[in-house]
Amino acid sequence: MQSNGEHRKIPDLKKLLADRSIILVSNRGPVEFEQDAAGNLETRRGGGGLVTAMTAISKEAKATWISAAMNDIERSLAHDDASVCLPDDSSSCLIKLVDIPEDIYNRYYNIISNPLLWFIHHYIWNLAYDPSISTGIHDAWHNGYVAANKLFAQAAVKESRKHRNPIIMLQDYHLFVAARYIRELSQEPFLFHFTHIPWPEPDYMRILPESMRTELLEGMLSNDMVGFQSRHYADNFLLCCETLLQCHVDWKAKTVTLHGHVVHVQTYPISIDHESLVEVGASDKVLEYEAKFMHDNEGLSLIVRTDRSDPSKNIVRGFRAFEVLLNKHPELKEKVKFLALLYPTRENIKAYNDYLDSIIATVNEINDRYKTDTWSPIHLRLEDNYLESIAALKCYDVLLVNPIYDGMNLVAKEGPVLNNKNGVLILSENAGATSELGNTSLVVSPFDIEGTAAAIYDALTMADYEKRARASTLREIVQRNNSVKWLYYQIKDIVRLEKKKVLDGI
Ligand code: G6P
């Protein structure tokens, strides 16, 4: 864990790692490979917070990044057992792709990881109706989730055998049981798992049948160390181990012991690579998008949100809050615009498509009701356009980040670093980022539409000096940390733990 004052040092990750290698394993890789018309390999940045954080790290350490092949080009790279370099020259990261047969991948990704686990970890099941743990879900658990985790484990072990003393860093909810299968194949690597999303309380975890939740928790406890975004989520994990597995938890030392194996439970709030982000923000393409936003919305105050179109992001309630605002403050008509840049996600899953439909229907309804000849209140873009999102973050007056639950939410950290209008951040009390940024933003309950509308009004009418002070404090807080430091503290703890084990003769 980061101690006071330590944030001022620039951590030397390379020195800490010496000649050791990191093997990162995640479902989605940093880039997606495609082929252009001439058959050349092209890359496109992967989406989501995990990729945002891990890409920076791959520049700092000798790393191999293992992820699932997502298209035919990637499957053929996987078959050739190719190691591909990241396109960025400054990176020494090699990418290895795992070919997961389509029927396994579909069960693992579209049935178990999303929605089942994702909805449990974000508390977004509508429990009177869903989920029903049917035969299909049991089948998808064994023949999808577990099967895919075994394939990732095999690939990680194969790669680890090429290195001396490797550290395998498993990422997120797709890989909760991988460590168990890695351990069956190899005793050598240090195993660390980081959960990027919230960890729920034991009662909500009970949605999973006993056999599944036991397998999941025991899978996590096959690691040497596990990491979470906040103390609250780490404590929920400890509570799950204590109440659902009845294993020994040392609350002071933050360890769990299962069958004599001690697992260390740590907290590492993730951050962003703000220097690279600012560079991207100054790129020609971003400046072009920014100029267009400013031109198209001249004289208007901009409320901005940029998210995957995920039910956990609470997008519809955000629009409803805006509607309440327009009702209560008709003087704001033609003076304010809500810019929602959303990118469709997990499109093979019905709950996601239904949610996207309700986003579109809500926007149409509000626009039809309030639009005038020269103005419509909400501008909705449905596209995965990273650079356009960066541009929008530069020009918000109000940034709305109101997730139902969120592990961290990196948009809340990217916004203040990029924004050049002293914009106000509105933040859900259930976002991980709130523990760091809550004091300098307007904190709302994600369910409280009335309260969110009031917060938007307060943000729009806040005095300039207060906006300036808040914006500069937010920037300062975000800049104190970065994604390299985030990794550095993990590696530092790993090295310390290994030394201790040697001293203790374990
Ligand atoms: C969030 C999760 C990540 C995930 C990302 C994109 O940021 O924390 O683990 O990679 O969403 O999700 P996707 O399903 O598109 O890979």
Side-chain angles (χ1 to χ4, degrees), residues 1-13:
M1 276 288 295
Q2 181 171 340
S3 62
N4 278 346
E6 217 168 6
H7 66 258
R8 303 220 173 271
K9 291 185 217 152
I10 300 183
D12 191 344
L13 192 52

Side-chain angles (χ1 to χ4, degrees), residues 258-298:
L258 179 70
H259 310 313
H261 175 62
V262 181
V263 185
H264 294 256
V265 179
Q266 295 284 20
T267 304
Y268 306 98
I270 201 165
S271 195
I272 54 168
D273 178 4
H274 46 83
E275 282 164 10
S276 307
L277 187 66
V278 168
E279 261 175 48
V280 177
S283 65
D284 290 349
K285 195 69 199 162
V286 171
L287 294 177
E288 204 181 291
Y289 283 126
E290 187 187 352
K292 181 153 169 40
F293 282 138
M294 298 308 284
H295 174 265
D296 293 351
N297 299 294
E298 208 186 331

Side-chain angles (χ1 to χ4, degrees), residues 149-222:
N149 271 253
K150 281 184 185 167
L151 292 173
F152 278 112
Q154 284 161 11
V157 170
K158 188 173 168 198
E159 190 57 35
S160 75
R161 292 200 165 122
K162 298 178 192 160
H163 306 271
R164 203 175 62 82
N165 221 356
I167 301 168
I168 297 185
M169 305 188 81
L170 302 162
Q171 304 299 312
D172 231 353
Y173 60 102
H174 312 89
L175 300 174
F176 282 148
V177 299
R180 176 180 157 192
Y181 300 104
I182 294 177
R183 268 295 169 256
E184 282 180 8
L185 296 169
S186 172
Q187 286 302 313
E188 201 206 339
F190 188 95
L191 295 185
F192 173 69
H193 183 283
F194 188 82
T195 302
H196 291 253
I197 62 177
W199 193 279
E201 289 163 10
D203 278 351
Y204 210 74
M205 188 53 102
R206 283 183 211 275
I207 290 173
L208 284 182
E210 191 181 351
S211 59
M212 285 183 204
R213 64 187 190 237
T214 300
E215 226 175 314
L216 189 155
L217 289 168
E218 289 188 352
M220 286 289 277
L221 295 176
S222 302

